[in-house]
Amino acid sequence: VDLSPVRCFYHPGYEYPLPPEHPFPMDKFRVSHDRLIQSGVGVEVIPVEPIPTEDLLRVHEPGYIEAIRKGSLGTDELRCLGLPLRAGELWLRSCLEVAGTLAAVHAALEDGLSCNLAGGTHHAYPSAGMGYCVFNDVAVAIRSLHARQPGLRVLVVDTDAHQGNGTAFIFGEDPRVFTYSIHVGANYPSRKERSSWDVPLPRYVSGGEYLCSLEESLSQVLQEFPADLAIWIAGADCHINDRFGQMSLSNEEMRRRDQLVLGALRGINLPVAVLYGGGYNRTPGHTAQLHADTVVSAAEWC
Ligand SMILES: [Zn+2]
């Protein structure tokens, strides 16, 4: 039995204060971190440094990176992003979050499992942010890995309630990356991309139906694509009390979702980097608890 703690990457700067009426629960990063520590599970929390711009350039257009850094996005671009842009502050926050994901993929390859206590910003495109996602952390991490290990086969398992459109777009022509997304078909984003494997589900899908579809499709994906690494965007927005997810999973079904994904991936010894994804629960603190529960499940799996 391996009793070494799971490496989790985190920075207090993951939090980006938003007006109280904003639907994104920005305190979820701090609260989930605190609850994770309180759980007593074996984790080692490691601080991150902002990602160098040269890594962002592996995915993102220089003009877009500059606009985030200087705070010069246009009105339509800001509306699409859905976050207020305070120059310097959002830039730093986004660079920290991407760095956490890059650190987590390296740690997963070394240890078998690791977590970024944030990340999964799957709606971001190379030249535009979207749906609270500034930079595509998963894409930057994969491109950075490929710079040194060009043959690495990476499976992106996206169980966030929304389609991972940005990631699907970025890796649409890359046979080394398999993008799997299970989401509500008639929900945001209205224009979907083609993932390697999409599982569009009906609105307000029951937990039972969701878990059956997930189990069946994920096992098929694992047979079809021999991966060297999995990056799992967990997503807390599949919960029945979420404002945007349009799924109906109970707390217990969320736990079973986590166990199912971890069992499928770790059961074949696939290294896994775990990321948060979205979550907009109506009950304050619940999104943070669901993220913490996912990390606890992951740490207990080791
Ligand atoms: Zn989502």
Side-chain angles (χ1 to χ4, degrees), residues 4-68:
S4 57
V6 170
R7 284 194 273 170
C8 294
F9 298 90
Y10 174 75
H11 194 287
Y14 282 177
E15 201 168 316
Y16 179 67
L18 294 171
E21 66 274 16
H22 196 283
F24 193 114
M26 260 293 166
D27 66 340
K28 74 179 193 176
F29 301 106
R30 177 178 44 81
V31 175
S32 62
H33 164 271
D34 293 351
R35 292 192 185 179
L36 180 63
I37 300 304
Q38 286 157 14
S39 77
V41 79
V43 295
E44 178 189 6
V45 176
I46 302 169
V48 294
E49 298 283 333
I51 194 109
T53 302
E54 65 191 74
D55 281 316
L56 297 178
L57 285 164
R58 298 180 196 280
V59 171
H60 293 284
E61 301 289 337
Y64 174 61
I65 294 172
E66 270 308 284
I68 295 296

Side-chain angles (χ1 to χ4, degrees), residues 69-118:
R69 198 174 64 80
K70 291 184 183 159
S72 60
L73 280 187
T75 312
D76 290 348
E77 295 163 301
L78 274 174
R79 193 180 302 118
C80 191
L81 176 60
L83 294 171
L85 208 178
R86 298 191 296 275
E89 212 180 318
L90 186 61
W91 162 252
L92 176 61
R93 193 246 158 233
S94 305
C95 288
L96 287 169
E97 185 174 39
V98 178
T101 295
L102 181 56
V105 297
H106 282 290
L109 286 169
E110 289 167 14
D111 304 347
L113 192 133
S114 73
C115 304
N116 182 17
L117 304 183

Side-chain angles (χ1 to χ4, degrees), residues 120 122-123 131 158-163 187-188 233 235-238 242 244-245 277-280:
H122 58 173
H123 296 311
D158 191 335
T159 58
D160 185 282
H162 304 98
Q163 196 210 26
N187 196 356
Y188 183 94
I233 302 172
D237 49 9
C238 308
D242 195 87
F244 298 151
Y280 319 92

Side-chain angles (χ1 to χ4, degrees), residues 202-221:
R203 295 175 77 191
Y204 306 108
V205 59
S206 73
E209 190 184 335
Y210 173 90
L211 291 168
C212 279
S213 300
L214 173 64
E215 184 168 27
E216 191 187 330
S217 56
L218 188 54
S219 82
Q220 287 175 344
V221 163

